Amino acid sequence: MIVRGHDGLDKFTVTGPTEVTLVCGGNTSRFQVDPEDVGLQTSSLGGLLGSSPQTNADRLLGVLSGAEHGPVRDAVILNAAAASLLVDGSYDHFIERLRIKMDECRTAVDDGSAIRTLESWVAAAGRAARVAVPTVG
């Protein structure tokens, strides 16, 4: 799956149409996904722009914890759903399946699963960083 938002983003965007190219089994199909196609409101690019690394991290934590709503959450949900479709590997009825995956992603955020998963990854990364790496030589 190759995507490009009309705004130049290299991901699904909520600022307008996203051009999608699917390559599967030697077949290529191209189509467009508008935010409205998947039940989202169109937003301005300004609503998505980040700033400092800390601010961006805080916004992501806000999305994953369910505290942040609006275009950033919409974009995260949309792109997580698209990634989930990639894992499934089936692209028939793309828009319909994308909407279903978006509902699943919203549920993961709203029931706390998303933030708990991030917290477990952070804990695992911390444990891995403490493991002594043998030196050669």
Side-chain angles (χ1 to χ4, degrees):
M1 180 185 320
I2 303 163
V3 298
R4 184 177 188 282
H6 81 104
D7 51 16
L9 296 177
D10 62 345
K11 55 191 65 56
F12 282 88
T13 186
V14 294
T15 67
T18 299
E19 297 295 326
V20 180
T21 303
L22 292 177
V23 181
C24 187
N27 297 317
T28 302
S29 60
R30 290 187 172 90
F31 55 92
Q32 186 171 288
V33 177
D34 289 298
E36 294 83 8
D37 295 340
V38 292
L40 299 176
Q41 292 183 339
T42 300
S43 173
S44 70
L45 185 59
L48 296 177
L49 294 178
S51 58
S52 72
Q54 185 61 53
T55 300
N56 295 346
D58 290 344
R59 287 182 82 183
L60 179 60
L61 290 173
V63 167
L64 295 180
S65 69
E68 170 119 8
H69 294 273
V72 172
R73 174 185 162 114
D74 290 346
V76 169
I77 296 289
L78 177 57
N79 282 281
S84 182
L85 280 179
L86 279 175
V87 171
D88 285 354
S90 175
Y91 307 114
D92 293 334
H93 311 286
F94 186 87
I95 299 293
E96 177 183 328
R97 295 191 69 237
L98 184 60
R99 289 178 76 113
I100 291 167
K101 292 293 186 180
M102 289 174 65
D103 287 342
E104 292 172 4
C105 291
R106 280 188 201 96
T107 298
V109 167
D110 294 341
D111 72 10
S113 299
I115 195 70
R116 283 193 304 274
T117 299
L118 176 63
E119 289 166 347
S120 70
W121 288 349
V122 168
R127 287 190 302 274
R130 290 188 297 272
V131 173
V133 178
T135 57
V136 176

